[in-house]
């Protein structure tokens, strides 16, 4: 995972685990940024990280639901992270502690 994807991953992990302390404005921005992805990829990230009221789903369960392997789901998540991480939208709003 490259540095841009890692900082987005770290932010989404934090956001999923600490939704109650995530700034509402940042959550709204992140929701809109994820909408840049195709709907299936957006849902994949929401499920993986437990975002916006969803429960985090283990890779094995996600793979079972999609009829694939956990490795394939992990690869797809990494590709989605990369697509979002390089957007000007994420680069503009990412928290300064991650810059």
């Amino acid at each position: 995972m490259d540095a841009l994807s890692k900082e987005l991953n770290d932010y989404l992990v934090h956001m999923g685990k600490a939704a109650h302390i995530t700034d509402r404005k940042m959550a709204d921005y992140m929701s809109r940024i994820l909408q840049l992805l195709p709907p299936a990829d957006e849902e994949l990230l929401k499920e993986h990280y437990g975002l916006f009221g969803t429960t985090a789903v283990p890779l094995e369960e996600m793979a079972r639901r999609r009829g694939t392997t956990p490795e394939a789901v992990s690869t797809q998540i990494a590709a989605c992270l990369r697509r979002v991480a390089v957007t000007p939208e994420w680069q503009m709003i990412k928290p300064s502690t991650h810059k």
Side-chain angles (χ1 to χ4, degrees), residues 4 12 19 26 31 33-34 39 42 50-51 54 56 62 66 76 80-81 88-89 93-94 97-98:
L4 291 175
L12 293 177
M26 282 297 290
S31 176
I33 289 171
L34 292 181
E42 177 185 0
L51 303 174
T54 63
M62 293 173 76
R66 289 166 173 78
Q76 186 177 2
C80 292
L81 284 174
E89 291 85 355
I93 70 146
K94 66 183 179 179
T97 57
H98 293 286

Side-chain angles (χ1 to χ4, degrees), residues 78-93:
C80 292
L81 284 174
R82 179 65 184 161
R83 284 197 306 262
V84 172
V86 298
T87 64
E89 291 85 355
W90 167 247
Q91 292 302 311
M92 288 176 58
I93 70 146

